[in-house]
Amino acid sequence: MTHQDGTPEGPIADAVTGNWVDTWAPPRTRPFLRLSRADRPIGTWLLLLPCWWSLLLAMLHTGSASLYDAWIALGCALGAFLMRGAGCTWNDITDRHIDGSVERTALRPIPSGQVGVRAALIWMASQSLVALLILLTFPPNAVLLGFASLIPVAIYPFAKRFTWWPQVFLGLAFNWGALLAWTAHTGTLEWPAFVLYLAGIAWTLFYDTIYAHQDAEDDALIGVKSTARLFGDATRKWLRLFLMNTIILLGLAIIWAAQDASILALVVALGGPWAMGWHLAWQLRTFDADDGPHLLRLFRSNRDAGLIPVPFFAVALLL
């Protein structure tokens, strides 16, 4: 499909079928919403879930909960949507000359000519401003952490140009909420949040290596680096390592956070990473580097994987 001015338009290759952007959004807004990946909500979930893990563990750590914690949870959700949109917009601005050479990304709004760079910059700034207004309702130390998060967000799009490990930089950016949400509840940044942050980075290495295998051939042609290209046939071994580190570090964060909680609460909370580990093990067992559609399904299934610990942590709060 093409626009009346001749530029190509239409759903992005990896968009969710029947998503609200392609179905209900006014046509003029669709390129900007696609730029923010609103048609692909998995990224918002992956940004949000470490926030919710951290908030729940912080509540378990302090043994307290309030209505303000409900606002922190909601604010993190809104902020995840907005900052994921701003980050993806920034990513597409910096990658505009690369995306046109990759089959999966060629129809993205900037390389396809639907959105200009200047308009994209304005859109990015608008999303960031609204996110800032939400951030300013958090305690001062959390606000400072929010500003600091811009550093890994700014660096990430360039990482694949200078390192074989760009997924590490994605992990640094995507799991920052583990630090921020803990601080929003407690007012200070403490060690359990750092361990949780490392667990999230290991999880990101797991799911984004799976995701990167979709583009491995195109990336090789244009010289873009990724863990998928680096690991090659050894990917399954590395995924197993990332899986183990995710679960072990998440368990350690729980033990540290819940040291003053009851034994029953600790046992229930530890059920979260145990159950999540089984989901990640299923992903590993069915991983096929040559099956693009299945790789995308596995990647998207990490929303469910990351949601698994949430009810365990919530129940532990009641014990």
Side-chain angles (χ1 to χ4, degrees), residues 239-263:
L239 290 179
R240 185 176 295 108
L241 179 63
F242 298 145
L243 187 163
M244 293 171 59
N245 276 280
T246 300
I247 303 310
I248 291 171
L249 289 167
L250 185 51
L252 289 174
I254 293 167
I255 292 170
W256 208 333
Q259 56 187 315
D260 294 326
S262 69
I263 295 297

Side-chain angles (χ1 to χ4, degrees), residues 43-65:
T44 298
W45 280 108
L46 296 176
L47 194 63
L48 170 61
L49 288 168
C51 300
W52 281 358
W53 293 351
S54 187
L55 175 61
L56 289 167
L57 289 183
M59 293 162 68
L60 187 62
H61 180 69
T62 61
S64 64

Side-chain angles (χ1 to χ4, degrees), residues 186-265:
T186 66
T188 58
L189 186 57
E190 298 172 278
W191 283 110
F194 279 111
V195 179
L196 188 64
Y197 183 50
L198 294 176
I201 293 171
W203 181 39
T204 302
L205 281 161
F206 180 89
Y207 65 65
D208 205 61
T209 296
I210 292 174
Y211 184 79
H213 266 282
Q214 296 177 93
D215 300 331
E217 292 185 4
D218 286 334
D219 287 349
L221 289 173
I222 59 179
V224 169
K225 299 177 174 66
S226 72
T227 50
R229 289 189 60 208
L230 176 64
F231 301 155
D233 293 338
T235 292
R236 191 179 296 273
K237 178 185 70 175
W238 282 94
L239 290 179
R240 185 176 295 108
L241 179 63
F242 298 145
L243 187 163
M244 293 171 59
N245 276 280
T246 300
I247 303 310
I248 291 171
L249 289 167
L250 185 51
L252 289 174
I254 293 167
I255 292 170
W256 208 333
Q259 56 187 315
D260 294 326
S262 69
I263 295 297
L264 181 58

Side-chain angles (χ1 to χ4, degrees), residues 30 67 76 97 107 146 263 316:
R30 289 176 186 171
L67 282 177
C76 285
H97 301 303
L107 280 180
I263 295 297

Side-chain angles (χ1 to χ4, degrees), residues 56-192:
L56 289 167
L57 289 183
M59 293 162 68
L60 187 62
H61 180 69
T62 61
S64 64
S66 67
L67 282 177
Y68 183 66
D69 292 312
W71 165 245
I72 294 173
L74 177 59
C76 285
L78 296 172
F81 177 81
L82 291 163
M83 287 310 297
R84 190 261 183 140
C88 288
T89 302
W90 171 243
N91 184 81
D92 283 10
I93 290 171
T94 61
D95 282 359
R96 61 189 183 278
H97 301 303
I98 294 175
D99 286 344
S101 303
V102 177
E103 181 180 359
R104 186 177 58 82
T105 59
L107 280 180
R108 284 182 176 175
I110 296 178
S112 64
Q114 299 173 61
V115 177
V117 173
R118 181 174 180 273
L121 286 169
I122 294 172
W123 178 238
M124 178 183 71
S126 301
Q127 294 171 96
S128 301
L129 179 60
V130 178
L132 173 62
L133 295 177
I134 295 171
L135 178 65
L136 291 176
T137 67
F138 289 177
N141 286 340
V143 173
L144 292 175
L145 279 171
F147 280 108
S149 72
L150 297 177
I151 298 172
V153 169
I155 293 173
Y156 166 66
F158 302 100
K160 56 183 168 288
R161 295 165 169 84
F162 63 80
T163 177
W164 287 100
W165 294 83
Q167 279 70 26
V168 170
F169 287 86
L170 180 66
L172 291 170
F174 255 56
N175 295 282
W176 200 268
L179 306 177
L180 195 150
W182 181 284
T183 307
H185 173 81
T186 66
T188 58
L189 186 57
E190 298 172 278
W191 283 110

